[in-house]
Amino acid sequence: MDLQFECSDCGKKYDPKTFVWRCECGGLLDLEAFKIEFPIENIQQRSATLWRYKEALPFDPEYNAWQSITMGEGFTPLIQFRAESPGVLLKLDYIMPTLSFKDRGAAVLIAKAQELGATKVAADSSGNAGTSIAAYANRAGMACDIYVPESTSAKKIKQISAHGAKVHTIPGSREDTAAAAKSAVEKGDVFYASHVYNPFFYQGTKTYAFEIWEQLGGNVPEVLVIPVGNGTLVLGAYYGCKELLSLGLINRMPRFLAVQAEGCAPLAHAFESEKEVAEPVVNTGTEAEGIAIADPPRSRQILAAIRDTNGVIVTAPEKSIQSARLELAKQGFFVEPTTAATYAGFIEYVNHCLSGKMSSKHEPLFKSNPFASDAEKVVIPLCGAGLKAD
Ligand SMILES: *Cc1c(COP(=O)(O)O)cnc(C)c1O
Ligand SMILES: [Zn+2]
């Protein structure tokens, strides 16, 4: 399948075989539209991994090299938070081969990189994406360099190097780390396996929406709660829902409730002030290292996607992240602080809706308590495992 990348600013097309990661105009690259199919009877007979949706993934029908790379990622459980609140569903995306949802994107991206002829990849990450890229790249027989901020949890760094990647710890901000990876990519014949810039990563994360649709018996919930830093799950879930809509499998989009951390919330600020692009912020410190992105490159697309679903972007209060982590653990779900922040942001927003003190600017996502026994469905992802955090 000879798919082209297309610049989101000037429309210029590029062949992914050139390993290009950005348009010469500086614009972000997207994948051009391609024909997808959703043969549901076949899908339901396949094994419970994201590859069951292969006709909706950007590969030739005969392509099967993914079979030597896959670790069975995807089709994670969708579970009630607790029996008394059947509308609040948790999608356990930390039950993945490398313990975070990033395996969705990395499996598809590395399979594609192999098809394009890559033998050496590099990526920058706050931890989980780098771990995931490292694991799949090693499985695909590729050399791999991962750049992480010096402040990344020691356990994540250990996990990345255990997968055979060379880890570069970079002083300074997350943005300094990205700059270090980019300059290495510019110097050599390296495939930039970036979860932020490479459009193929989002082709993997879109399966998040397909799975929920299947698990809810051919439906999507009223609300999808999603953490947002660089937006790989927000945009993936958005693309996935859009595809379900265009295939006629659903007749409305779920509304998105995107969650940032109070200490680093450029998208929430842009949303509130009705901007189309986020202004970079200074990270004032957050427990949610996985969403601490001060200057997200795809901010325009993220903001447009959230608005298109009639959704909102909120912040999780720093002071409630640890207690949210304990609350989830008491129900049996041990997650990393970034994931606890997603839940904390949801609770904060629900309380805000129910207090009646909402500004009238946005129609509230919850008019009644989502924990009530007869509430509409809301799906919250648990994206990263608790044992990843120091
Ligand atoms: C990467 C990650 C996020 C945020 O994803 P973005 O693509 O940056 O929006 C949230 N939670 C966990 C556990 C992550 O690893
Ligand atoms: Zn361009």
Side-chain angles (χ1 to χ4, degrees):
M1 197 187 279
D2 268 338
L3 292 170
Q4 302 284 300
F5 287 158
E6 200 172 56
C7 174
S8 61
D9 281 353
C10 74
K12 187 171 164 136
K13 295 211 175 183
Y14 292 89
D15 184 345
K17 286 195 193 81
T18 61
F19 293 4
V20 60
W21 64 273
R22 194 166 200 166
C23 182
E24 60 192 16
C25 82
L28 294 159
L29 299 178
D30 290 327
L31 189 62
E32 66 178 357
F34 63 100
K35 189 172 179 314
I36 62 165
E37 282 170 32
F38 215 84
I40 191 62
E41 265 123 53
N42 299 346
I43 288 171
Q44 282 171 344
Q45 282 160 24
R46 295 179 187 150
S47 62
T49 81
L50 60 80
W51 296 96
R52 67 205 263 114
Y53 309 111
K54 61 184 179 156
E55 291 89 350
L57 296 175
F59 297 95
D60 280 320
E62 312 83 60
Y63 171 80
N64 57 17
W66 60 269
Q67 288 168 353
S68 61
I69 297 171
T70 182
M71 291 189 276
E73 55 285 333
F75 223 84
T76 54
L78 185 66
I79 298 293
Q80 287 176 2
F81 174 65
R82 55 172 182 245
E84 312 88 272
S85 306
V88 180
L89 301 170
L90 303 177
K91 177 102 170 125
L92 308 192
D93 259 32
Y94 67 98
I95 305 185
M96 284 277 187
T98 78
L99 308 182
S100 87
F101 85 87
K102 298 292 193 319
D103 291 355
R104 292 185 185 279
V108 170
L109 174 56
I110 293 298
K112 198 71 198 178
Q114 192 183 55
E115 196 186 44
L116 297 171
T119 56
K120 187 169 170 38
V121 301
D124 51 279
S125 150
S126 60
N128 289 339
T131 305
S132 197
I133 293 289
Y136 287 94
N138 204 42
R139 231 172 135 68
M142 299 171 188
C144 180
D145 283 79
I146 301 292
Y147 296 77
V148 295
E150 214 170 38
S151 58
T152 303
S153 100
K155 285 188 182 168
K156 289 182 184 175
I157 293 176
K158 210 167 163 181
Q159 195 184 1
I160 296 169
S161 49
H163 289 311
K166 184 159 195 275
V167 183
H168 306 259
T169 52
I170 308 297
S173 68
R174 173 69 183 81
E175 284 61 39
D176 295 325
T177 298
K182 286 171 193 164
S183 85
V185 167
E186 296 300 330
K187 276 186 212 123
D189 202 12
V190 181
F191 182 93
Y192 188 23
S194 169
H195 59 299
V196 185
Y197 290 99
N198 197 303
F200 290 118
F201 194 91
Y202 302 80
Q203 292 295 310
T205 53
K206 78 181 184 185
T207 60
Y208 179 79
F210 297 163
E211 291 175 16
I212 290 172
W213 178 85
E214 257 198 281
Q215 290 169 317
L216 293 181
N219 218 332
V220 289
E222 295 298 306
V223 177
L224 283 181
V225 180
I226 306 193
V228 61
N230 275 310
T232 66
L233 190 57
V234 163
L235 290 173
Y238 177 73
Y239 299 148
C241 290
K242 279 282 185 195
E243 289 182 355
L244 292 171
L245 198 63
S246 72
L247 290 163
L249 295 171
I250 53 176
N251 53 25
R252 55 154 183 93
M253 289 290 280
R255 296 178 69 189
F256 282 27
L257 171 57
V259 180
Q260 296 223 279
E262 185 185 4
C264 191
L267 295 162
H269 296 319
F271 183 80
E272 262 317 301
S273 49
E274 301 184 353
K275 298 258 165 54
E276 279 176 30
V277 183
E279 297 279 339
V281 298
V282 175
N283 177 354
T284 56
T286 174
E287 298 218 40
E289 66 176 9
I291 45 174
I293 307 296
D295 188 10
R298 292 194 185 267
S299 73
R300 181 188 295 276
Q301 295 176 331
I302 296 165
L303 288 159
I306 298 294
R307 290 185 176 121
D308 184 49
T309 73
N310 195 18
V312 296
I313 308 181
V314 300
T315 55
E318 292 298 329
K319 63 173 169 30
S320 49
I321 294 177
Q322 281 305 335
S323 53
R325 194 176 183 208
L326 286 176
E327 196 183 331
L328 287 167
K330 291 213 170 94
Q331 297 299 328
F333 308 103
F334 190 52
V335 298
E336 65 172 290
T338 302
T339 290
T342 311
Y343 184 71
F346 164 70
I347 296 295
E348 173 82 1
Y349 180 74
V350 166
N351 290 338
H352 201 64
C353 284
L354 300 183
S355 74
K357 281 186 292 203
M358 292 288 288
S359 74
S360 54
K361 221 158 64 181
H362 312 291
E363 188 197 340
L365 270 63
F366 302 104
K367 290 180 194 75
S368 59
N369 190 345
F371 289 94
S373 58
D374 59 348
E376 305 274 23
K377 287 191 173 63
V378 48
V379 174
I380 307 166
L382 303 185
C383 290
L387 294 177
K388 278 175 168 282
D390 293 330

